[in-house]
Amino acid sequence: MTRQRPSRLRELRRAAPFVLPFLLLFVVVYLVPTGYSVVQSFFAVKRSGLGLGGAETVFAGLGNYLRVFQDGDFIASLGRVGFIGVIQVPVMLGIALFLALLLDSSVPKGRKFFRIAYFVPYGLPGVIAALVWSFLYAPTLSPIAGFFASIGVDASFVTDGALPFSIANILTWAWTGYNTILIFAALQAIPEETMEAAALDGCSGWKAALLIKVPLVRPALLLTLVFSIIGTSQLYNEPVTMKSVAPNLPSTYTPIMAAVRSLSANDFNYAAAQSVVLGALICVLSVLVFRASARSVTR
Amino acid sequence: MLNRNARLTAAAVVATGLALTGCSSTTGASTGGPVTITFWGWASGYDKSVALWNESHPGIQVKYEAIANGGAGGYDKMFTAAKAGTAPCLAQIGYETFASFLAAGLLQDVSEHTKARRAEFPDWVWGNVGIDGKIFGVPVDTAPMGLFYRSDLFKNAKIEVPKTWEEFGKAAAAVKAADPKSRIMNLPTDPYLYAGFAWQGDAPWFGVNGDAWTVSVNSAANGKVAGYWQGLFDQDLVTSYPAFDAALYTAWNSGKVWAEVGPVWSASLIRDNAASSAGKWAVAPMPRWDGADTVGNSGGSATAVMKGCAHPKEAAEFALWMSTDDKSVSNLIESAAILPASKSGLASKALDAPESYYGGQAIYQLFRAESAKVNPNWRWGPVMSTTASALGDGLGKVAAKSATFQEALNAAQTGTVSALQAQGFSVSK
């Protein structure tokens, strides 16, 4: 330790030009709105009688949160995205992992083509994808339903029971490629020597993929898992777009749709409380996933 | 020197920026210059009416900004802007949402500035833009309902055009008998379209009882209207396409659906989406209930004066002009196919033009006559977006056969009452 360590202050001063722009944006577009929502969620508007005298904003304590937990529609919407997530996320990540392993396998034929082909759906704006799928689902327009009808099978993709699966299908179609690329990138980072050593020990092919590659890309898998959980809980585009072909899809189908409905009803404070609850749930869920996986790694 | 120049330029740029952003409804209070009024709306033709006004009224300049259709985010934008203090002076607000804005305390009482010209509009129309005798905006158009039908198919099948709902039911059966693949009409599952049927059936959803709201979405009168449609649906006499869906338009075109009972703006909806059946459509009065000579209304909007507007008098003056001036009204009829709310607007010759899509029938003459028969006992509630989405969710399930009309009404009733109570309104039982 011959060199003197720069003082903390000087270190900060040097870092400032690099950190400040980010910090400023982070505060302005992330922390301030979040804080504002949290503050709003503790207030409520007070009216009297017909409400024509205008509204007065008063402190409501936990009133909005009590309302959230008694709101059957909102609880149901949480259940719905939970159900869709539990089914869709493992299926999608399973396919993504499989495709990534295929891409990474020693047969490089057409690798470039497939890499791009898998990624194309992600490049399509979510609303457009949902719109195209809506046409494929619409009972009266769908060529698929038309085909089934021609062989005498009454297939509908928009019944109450089929809706979660129809939506999960759009999500899987749109996001599998994205996750494939993330996992593939991690696979590419595995040192060649590791795989060579495994081959020398007689471990190759699918066995090597499952026993060596998969554990090594666990951080990437974890990342895609957390991204997917967040993505599913914020489900909005797909169900809203599908509503035009599936009027039986309620306007509070997902938590965000429920919050938007409160917003449209000029019930800002309640919408804020709904958003805070959703955000907190996602936060807790993400932390739990990270914790659980960290534990299984150290074990 | 260069440095100083650069600084001056920068200062000038900043000043211009401030001037531009400061161009809100609160500027120009007493400077003697022209008064500027901002106006948010979405209907086609509004921009042209504003331009006409600006030409002839140099002292009061209206700055029109086109925003998204109210139901498609326009109202959300207004609510948010009002919360942020950047609301415009004037805003296009549909009658159905007017009470929501009133209850949010976002509108300004302009009774004083409109009082003198009350007689220029029918009474029931004023009821849509105010409460307790106070006026908060100026009506632009109304949307009385009528029966649009395929005259060729009705004639070929020798089915009389129904004049009452009882006859309509018989005609529905006759249509199915004439062509088992065809139905008379599509089930009205859009909540605002359905409201027009409740409106006609003397089945109000809201009322005022002293200082409290009454909610009667699932009243006996509403049950009667709902039961009628449930009956047609249960007998498989109507189709159940989603509202405003391409499949319905195809069915209109191909003759699988023979008629549509809808508001005046259905005229352009049918014309634009069922182009290949041009010349085969005609319009008749809406079928009546038990001899009551009343029709429903589904739509129409007003130019509302928002709170914070520094020039309510001038704003009201422009709004009155837009709804009554012959040039402005003719322009609105031409570009937006509206039915004017004002009496002078209704007298406009633009409404006498024959419509080639409707076989040369002057259909707006019919709606002009029907607009005098709109049931006056209707009032919109203050949380319509909640009421409409709850009802829409329920009606969507009716089409999917997982609920009944009555269940949809019950859900809308409960949803509305709890939303009202949660937001602090008094609700009387």
Side-chain angles (χ1 to χ4, degrees):
Chain A
M1 281 289 163
T2 46
R3 217 174 59 136
Q4 209 189 337
R5 284 189 76 189
S7 76
R8 234 188 132 68
L9 193 72
R10 203 183 305 157
E11 217 171 47
L12 273 179
R13 206 180 294 153
R14 271 195 202 149
F18 300 98
V19 177
L20 271 184
F22 164 75
L23 208 64
L24 192 74
L25 279 175
F26 181 73
V27 168
V28 169
V29 305
Y30 190 84
L31 285 188
V32 170
T34 308
Y36 183 71
S37 298
V38 174
V39 171
Q40 286 285 309
S41 70
F42 288 105
F43 287 85
V45 287
K46 210 179 119 191
R47 297 180 170 85
S48 57
L50 293 174
L52 300 176
E56 187 192 344
T57 305
V58 294
F59 184 72
L62 291 172
N64 287 322
Y65 289 95
L66 286 178
R67 244 179 100 192
V68 168
F69 292 113
Q70 290 165 354
D71 183 342
D73 289 341
F74 188 71
I75 306 284
S77 74
L78 286 175
R80 250 175 242 126
V81 290
F83 178 71
I84 292 176
V86 164
I87 293 172
Q88 188 261 340
V89 172
V91 169
M92 173 179 68
L93 294 185
I95 300 174
L97 178 62
F98 176 73
L99 291 178
L101 286 171
L102 273 188
L103 279 178
D104 187 54
S105 68
S106 39
V107 205
K109 222 176 186 179
R111 182 189 277 180
K112 228 177 206 167
F113 168 76
F114 283 111
R115 216 164 52 188
I116 292 172
Y118 294 150
F119 203 64
V120 162
Y122 173 72
L124 214 63
V127 176
I128 306 284
L131 210 62
V132 172
W133 276 103
S134 294
F135 283 125
L136 292 175
Y137 289 150
T140 45
L141 301 171
S142 165
I144 307 163
F147 167 75
F148 278 112
S150 70
I151 57 168
V153 179
D154 187 21
S156 173
F157 302 103
V158 294
T159 57
D160 291 350
L163 275 174
F165 299 96
S166 300
I167 291 171
N169 179 48
I170 304 181
L171 292 177
T172 309
W173 181 84
W175 291 92
T176 301
Y178 170 80
N179 290 309
T180 304
I181 298 299
L182 282 185
I183 300 169
F184 175 66
L187 283 171
Q188 293 278 291
I190 297 176
E192 211 146 296
E193 302 86 67
T194 312
M195 297 322 293
E196 267 169 23
L200 284 177
D201 285 343
C203 181
S204 60
W206 281 112
K207 216 169 145 197
L210 285 179
L211 294 175
I212 297 168
K213 286 183 181 174
V214 172
L216 282 174
V217 296
R218 190 201 291 272
L221 280 173
L222 189 64
L223 192 74
T224 53
L225 178 62
V226 172
F227 279 1
S228 305
I229 290 173
I230 295 174
T232 311
S233 50
Q234 296 184 342
L235 198 58
Y236 180 75
N237 285 346
E238 290 79 7
V240 165
T241 312
M242 277 184 66
K243 200 164 163 45
S244 64
V245 299
N248 51 318
L249 194 152
S251 52
T252 52
Y253 198 76
T254 72
I256 296 214
M257 285 172 78
V260 168
R261 186 167 119 164
S262 307
L263 204 71
S264 298
N266 198 25
D267 205 349
F268 281 90
N269 305 98
Y270 185 53
Q274 285 174 309
S275 310
V276 170
V277 168
L278 177 63
L281 280 176
I282 297 173
C283 206
V284 167
L285 208 58
S286 306
V287 168
L288 282 181
V289 168
F290 272 121
R291 277 261 176 90
S293 68
R295 202 174 302 144
S296 66
V297 166
T298 48
R299 203 192 297 152
Chain B
M1 196 59 197
L2 190 82
N3 199 358
R4 195 171 156 241
N5 270 344
R7 264 189 211 171
L8 280 177
T9 320
V13 168
V14 169
T16 322
L18 284 176
L20 282 175
T21 49
C23 204
S24 74
S25 52
T26 46
T27 51
S30 57
T31 47
V35 167
T36 305
I37 291 165
T38 42
F39 178 19
W40 286 2
W42 61 84
S44 49
Y46 276 28
D47 51 347
K48 211 176 148 199
S49 279
V50 166
L52 285 171
W53 164 274
N54 285 339
E55 265 169 42
S56 52
H57 297 76
I60 306 172
Q61 290 292 296
V62 177
K63 196 170 149 236
Y64 180 70
E65 286 167 32
I67 61 165
N69 188 310
Y75 296 139
D76 295 353
K77 185 182 160 104
M78 291 178 196
F79 279 130
T80 318
K83 204 169 163 56
T86 56
C89 208
L90 289 168
Q92 176 181 4
I93 298 179
Y95 300 142
E96 76 291 336
T97 312
F98 211 89
S100 306
F101 275 86
L102 268 181
L106 299 182
L107 303 182
Q108 203 167 145
D109 183 357
V110 287
S111 313
E112 212 193 318
H113 310 302
T114 51
K115 204 165 44 189
R117 300 179 63 180
R118 272 194 87 123
E120 293 180 34
F121 295 81
D123 273 339
W124 77 267
V125 178
W126 284 116
N128 283 299
V129 294
I131 197 162
D132 279 352
K134 289 181 196 149
I135 301 296
F136 298 82
V138 177
V140 177
D141 62 323
T142 66
M145 296 168 81
L147 169 63
F148 299 80
Y149 66 101
R150 285 283 297 266
S151 56
D152 57 331
L153 300 174
F154 272 83
K155 201 184 252 172
N156 284 346
K158 296 196 174 61
I159 299 172
E160 288 265 321
V161 177
K163 291 192 177 63
T164 64
W165 285 114
E166 201 190 336
E167 286 176 23
F168 188 86
K170 284 179 188 150
V175 167
K176 191 181 171 189
D179 177 1
K181 282 187 174 164
S182 294
R183 298 290 180 273
I184 193 164
M185 195 180 140
N186 191 47
L187 197 66
T189 50
D190 175 78
Y192 286 117
L193 177 62
Y194 178 75
F197 293 97
W199 185 323
Q200 180 203 23
D202 213 15
W205 290 353
F206 294 94
V208 170
N209 181 9
D211 203 23
W213 289 93
T214 56
V215 184
S216 50
V217 183
N218 63 350
S219 65
N222 272 292
K224 182 187 164 192
V225 176
Y228 179 82
W229 290 104
Q230 186 72 48
L232 290 185
F233 184 60
D234 289 345
Q235 296 168 65
D236 190 23
L237 296 176
V238 285
T239 55
S240 54
Y241 299 112
F244 309 113
D245 189 48
L248 174 61
Y249 303 151
T250 310
W252 282 342
N253 243 338
S254 63
K256 291 275 171 280
V257 171
W258 288 21
E260 166 77 356
V261 179
V264 61
W265 47 262
S266 298
S268 44
L269 185 75
I270 296 172
R271 183 192 63 208
D272 298 343
N273 292 294
S276 66
S277 49
K280 296 171 180 164
W281 289 81
V283 186
M286 183 181 195
R288 303 296 206 259
W289 282 110
D290 314 323
D293 193 16
T294 52
V295 299
N297 180 81
S298 178
S301 63
T303 316
V305 182
M306 295 197 73
K307 209 156 242 169
C309 174
H311 309 287
K313 184 171 170 284
E314 288 83 357
E317 194 185 332
F318 163 76
L320 281 163
W321 175 90
M322 186 173 98
S323 296
T324 53
D325 177 79
D326 191 46
K327 263 198 211 151
S328 166
V329 170
S330 304
N331 160 52
L332 294 179
I333 293 172
E334 219 166 87
S335 40
I338 64 149
L339 189 75
S342 67
K343 290 175 185 169
S344 63
L346 276 173
S348 169
K349 288 203 173 58
L351 293 175
D352 296 321
E355 295 287 316
S356 61
Y357 183 87
Y358 294 94
Q361 187 185 355
I363 62 167
Y364 293 102
Q365 288 181 340
L366 182 140
F367 286 108
R368 171 195 282 155
E370 292 291 274
S371 73
K373 295 175 186 166
V374 172
N375 188 329
N377 306 325
W378 183 268
R379 179 187 291 288
W380 294 105
V383 288
M384 273 317 293
S385 75
T386 305
T387 309
S389 59
L391 183 63
D393 287 353
L395 293 180
K397 285 187 196 146
V398 172
K401 293 196 176 134
S402 50
T404 63
F405 264 92
Q406 189 61 48
E407 283 164 358
L409 295 182
N410 293 344
Q413 172 82 16
T414 340
T416 304
V417 170
S418 61
L420 281 171
Q421 285 165 343
Q423 294 190 44
F425 296 95
S426 305
V427 183
S428 99
K429 289 276 148 77

